[in-house]
Amino acid sequence: MAASTSAKEPQLTESGMTRRQVLEALSGLLLGMFVSMLASTVVSTSLPVIVHDLGGDQAAFTWVVTATLLTTAISTPIWGKLADLFNRKVLIQLAIAIFVLATAAAGFAQDPGTLIAFRAVQGLGAGGLAALSQIIMADIISPRERGRYMGLFGAVMAVATVGGPLLGGVITDSLGWRWNFYISIPFAILALILLQVTLHVKRTKRDVHIDYLGIVLLSASVSLLLIWITNAGKDYDWWSLTTVLMVGGSILAAALFIVVELRSREPLIPLRMFRNRTFTLAVLASIATGIAIFGASVFLSQYMQSARGATPTEAGVMTIPMIGGLLVASIVVGQLISRFGKWKSYLVVGSILLIAGLGLLTTLQYDTNFALVSLYMFLMGAGIGMTMQNLVLIVQNTARPEEIGVASSGIAFFRSLGGTVGVSVMGAALATSVTSLFASSKDALTTAIMGLGADGAAVAEQLNSGALPAVHALPETVRVIVEDIYAQSIAHSFMIAVPFAIMSLIAIIFLPNVPLTRMTTSERLKAGEADLATFTTAEGMDAIDATGSIPTTDAAASRNRR
C-alpha cells in the first residue's frame, strides 16, 4: 500500500516543487520574455524603412538602437538591486508595463528624435525584464536543473526571433511600419495576468537604501562615452577640445562612481563581486557576447536590405540561419549541461564558433553566395547560443545567494554595455566608411544617374539628402553601386567585433570549472543560515574568498527540504 501511495505522489524536482508547479510559475515569465523579444525583433527588419521614412541618417539609425541599449544597460543593475530589496513579482510586472507602453508610444513618432526618446524609455523596461527573468528563474530552478527547461525557452526564442522579423516585414510591407509597435500590447496584457495568477515568490523584507548618486554617475559616464563615439569625426574632430571634455567627463564620472560604490551602504554594483574570479571573467566574456548579439542583429538586417536589396519581409527570412544556430545550440547544450553537469567545454567551443562566424562575416560582399552567408550566420548564432545564457548560469552558481539579483543583473549589464558600445563604434565606423566610399564612387554614381535621363534627378536627390536610401527601390545601375558600398562598410564594421570575441575566448578558458549546484537560491539561503557557524572558521572564510559565495552543500539543502 505504501508503495502504491508513493507511486501516486507527484514527482518533485530538486527544488522541492512539482514539475507542474514549476511549469505554472514559468508560464507568465516565459510570456513576459516573449513580449520583450517580440517587441524588439518585430521592428528589427523594418528599421531601415522607419529611419528612411522619418528622414533619419546613418547616425539616427544607430541611435535608434543605441538609445534602447544604453538605457537597458544603465537600468539593468538598478532593477537587479531592486530585486534584492523589493517584491520581484511586482517589479517584473512593472517592467513589462513600462516596456510595452513605451513601445506603443514609439509608433506615434513623427521624427527620429521622438522615436529615439521613446526607444530610450523602452530600454528601461527591457533592463528590468533582462535582469528579473534570470533572477526569478534562479528562485525556482536550480542551475543543474535548468537545462531541462531550456526547450521551453528555446520555443519562446524560436517564435519571437524567427517569427518576429517575418511578422514585422509582412506588417511593414502591408499595413505600415507603425503597426509593428502595437502588436505586443495584447501579449503584454496576457503576461501580466498570468504572472499575477501563477508566479508566487517570497517577498524580501530588508531595509531599503537606493544608491541614487551611483545611478546618476553611472548614467553620466556611459552616456558621455557613447555620445562622443557616435558624433566624433562628424560634428567635431576625434582630437579636439570637445573630445577632451567628453572623454574626460566620462572618465571622471566613472572614477567618482567607483568611489561612491566603495562607500555606499547598498551599492548599485558591489565591487567586492569582482574578487570572485568567475564573475570577473564572465563579465569580460559577456562584453564580447553583447557586441556580437546586438551588432549582428542590427547590421546583418541592414546588410540584407542595403547591400542585397531585400525588402523587410525578405530580410526577416534571410536572417533565419543565425537564429537557427542560436536556438539549436542553446537547447542542445542546455540539455547536455543539465544531464552531465559539465559546462566549460561547451563555452570554449561556443566562443571559438563566435570568433569564426564574426571573422567570416568580415569577408561579406554584396554578391557573396548566400549559402556561404548563411553558414557564417549559423556559426555566429551557434556561438552566441552556447555562451550567452550559460555565462549567467555559472555566475549564479557561485554568487552569494543574498546577492543573486545584483550578480545576475551585473552580467546582463555588462552584456548590454558591450552591445551598446559595440553598436555605437560599429555604427560610427559604418557611417564613416559609407561617406568615404560614396565620395570615391562619385564618378561612377554620376555616370549611372545621368544614364537614367529624367528619372535621375529624383535618384540624385535621394542619395544627396543624407537620409538612408531605400536601396531596393533604386534603379539597377545605381543600386549595384550603392549595395557594394554598404556591403564593404558593413563587413568593415564587423572587424571591430573580432578582437572582443578573442578576448571572450581567453576569459572563458581561465574560468574556474566549478561544478553546478543542485540548489535553488532559496535553498542556498536556508542552507547558509543553517551552516553559518561552520563557515565562520578559518577554513570556511578561505572558501568564501575563493568562490565569492558561502559554499553551501546539496546535503544541507536536502536537510532543509526534509
Side-chain angles (χ1 to χ4, degrees), residues 464-525:
N464 293 328
S465 66
L468 285 180
V471 177
H472 70 277
L474 293 174
E476 184 176 358
T477 53
V478 177
R479 177 166 55 83
V480 171
I481 299 173
V482 175
E483 286 178 352
D484 186 42
I485 289 173
Y486 274 97
Q488 292 184 57
S489 301
I490 292 170
H492 178 73
S493 69
F494 275 112
M495 292 181 184
I496 296 171
V498 174
F500 291 97
I502 295 173
M503 179 187 75
S504 176
L505 172 61
I506 295 171
I508 287 172
I509 288 173
F510 286 99
L511 276 170
N513 197 3
V514 180
L516 296 178
T517 179
R518 294 179 180 271
M519 291 183 289
T520 65
T521 301
S522 301
E523 289 177 326
R524 291 176 64 199
L525 281 169

Side-chain angles (χ1 to χ4, degrees), residues 526-547:
K526 292 178 182 178
E529 293 169 359
D531 295 346
L532 185 60
T534 303
F535 298 123
T536 55
T537 63
E539 180 181 355
M541 293 308 293
D542 289 341
I544 292 175
D545 290 340
T547 65

Side-chain angles (χ1 to χ4, degrees), residues 119-131:
R119 292 274 292 178
V121 178
Q122 184 186 40
L124 296 177
L129 289 167

Side-chain angles (χ1 to χ4, degrees), residues 21 35 47 60 67 83 104 184 213-214 264 276 331 352 387 390-391 393 402 459 473 524 549:
Q21 288 173 328
V35 168
L47 274 181
S184 59
L213 183 57
S264 176
N276 180 345
I331 293 172
I352 293 173
T387 56
N390 291 323
L391 287 170
L393 174 69
E402 66 275 11
V459 174
R524 291 176 64 199
S549 62

